[in-house]
Amino acid sequence: MRPGPVAIGKTTAYLGIALACAVSITACTAQPSAPPVNVSNSGSASQTAEPRIVADELNAPWSMVFAESTLLVSERDSGRILEIDTEGNQRQVSKLNDVVHGGEGGLLGLAYQRPYLFAYSTAAEGNRIQRFEVTGEAGNLSLTNPQTLISGLPSATIHNGGRLAIGPDLMLYATVGDAGNESLAQDLDSFGGKILRLTIDGEVPEDNPFPDSPVFSFGHRNPQGLAWASDGTMYASEFGQNRWDELNLIRAGANYGWPVTEGIANNADYVDPLQQWSTESASPSGMSIHQDALYVANLRGERLRIIDLSSPSDSTEAFTGSYGRFRDAVVTAAGELWVLTNNTDGRGTPQESDDKILGIFPAKFSQ
């Protein structure tokens, strides 16, 4: 089930949530479900200390990933991949000169699985996923042996997807937006409005839900974040249309309803989100899980949302309006949460020295 223009290469603390049908990604089997919870208003988490500035003066940054102990950051508009040291110093590792920036297009998601860095970017013929070999030592990293694993993915100035992540099964996952054409989301012969699953060599895994297809789940509008709990449960954040943004629990082969439904619909044909938030308070983007708490960066909502995965309840919020738009969140080896602001992308209001990476210890959110 592959559309013609797409080519696949041979070499691819905390407080509150609604918990529904669980899934083990490695087994691709659904678990018992609980009703979803409608969350449009949330409490505020305790903020007893200001975050520290890890790095600043970034230009429209989009994604963060650790290559071993070195942080790599993508800049959407410039096409640069930067390494950032422990003092916040920046060094250009590479620049993708053929990246085509426009609207939400450009250099987007990064993922790392030794020795490879994966990058999702917009080229003249559409979105693509490339793989590079990371060589050298921290402070002098290089990207070599570029290979395009998949190309011709639907692209547009809106609903452009772009998140990459390595799952606990060591497969490469990618979010693809509907590129402004909502009919693509229900079309299994298109990769628009989907979450894809590939091997790190760009092949289709034999246990994917649709034979010979990288499609893992469908019926998405613009999925933006991916994360896995310690038990293998997979979560994705998603931009809605006019009413509801979503947190979804992802299972193999499931249909998440777009464009037929937005938010919780109680329709047996589709999987309802675990939580939904009004679009003005959310635009959930990158996210990370630490000690069974899910931390979701929000753009339009200008807040960090914290969700306790151990009990079904609503989410809490931190730093609302304090630092502008949040694009991504990662956890360091020391357990510090690093959150990426995104105020220089043309939709935010830049603050002094934006954009920044903020360092926060999750214990600061405990009551």
Side-chain angles (χ1 to χ4, degrees), residues 63-198:
S63 179
M64 298 186 292
V65 70
F66 281 98
E68 309 304 334
S69 60
T70 302
L71 183 71
L72 299 180
V73 177
S74 64
E75 290 187 337
R76 186 192 68 184
D77 300 354
S78 70
R80 298 196 306 163
I81 297 173
L82 308 174
E83 64 173 311
I84 298 179
D85 67 19
T86 56
E87 303 299 321
N89 299 310
Q90 305 172 23
R91 175 184 169 271
Q92 180 176 306
V93 174
S94 183
K95 182 175 182 180
L96 306 187
N97 292 316
D98 60 345
V99 165
V100 177
H101 162 60
E104 296 176 9
L107 175 57
L108 306 175
L110 301 178
Y112 178 78
Q113 176 63 34
R114 186 176 185 182
Y116 300 119
L117 180 73
F118 303 87
Y120 191 115
S121 64
T122 308
E125 71 279 6
N127 286 324
R128 65 190 174 183
I129 301 172
Q130 293 178 290
R131 188 181 78 176
F132 305 86
E133 186 171 352
V134 181
T135 60
E137 302 296 328
N140 193 32
L141 294 179
S142 297
L143 301 184
T144 62
N145 300 323
Q147 294 179 323
T148 299
L149 302 184
I150 186 168
S151 62
L153 298 173
S155 65
T157 59
I158 56 173
H159 313 181
N160 203 45
R163 189 68 58 188
L164 294 179
I166 302 294
D169 53 5
L170 302 184
M171 297 295 174
L172 176 66
Y173 292 78
T175 69
V176 185
D178 69 11
N181 183 353
E182 61 185 29
S183 66
L184 299 182
Q186 293 294 322
D187 181 1
L188 287 175
D189 288 326
S190 168
F191 295 158
K194 310 295 190 299
I195 294 176
L196 307 183
R197 179 176 183 254
L198 297 163

Side-chain angles (χ1 to χ4, degrees), residues 227-275:
W228 286 263
S230 57
D231 64 358
T233 302
M234 180 181 178
Y235 299 90
S237 61
E238 184 164 338
F239 290 174
Q241 176 77 5
N242 298 314
R243 296 186 61 204
W244 300 116
D245 291 334
E246 301 176 355
L247 174 69
N248 287 300
L249 189 153
I250 304 299
R251 67 172 187 259
N255 185 346
Y256 291 82
W258 177 255
V260 182
T261 66
E262 179 184 358
I264 296 170
N266 297 312
N267 185 325
D269 292 333
Y270 310 111
V271 178
D272 276 337
L274 298 179
Q275 294 194 24

Side-chain angles (χ1 to χ4, degrees), residues 53 56-57 350-356:
I53 297 176
D56 59 9
E57 296 185 350
Q351 301 182 23
E352 183 179 358
S353 301
D354 269 345
D355 271 306
K356 304 178 184 73

Side-chain angles (χ1 to χ4, degrees), residues 210-222:
F210 305 105
D212 301 319
S213 172
V215 172
F216 191 74
S217 63
F218 65 108
H220 299 287
R221 180 178 178 271
N222 191 16

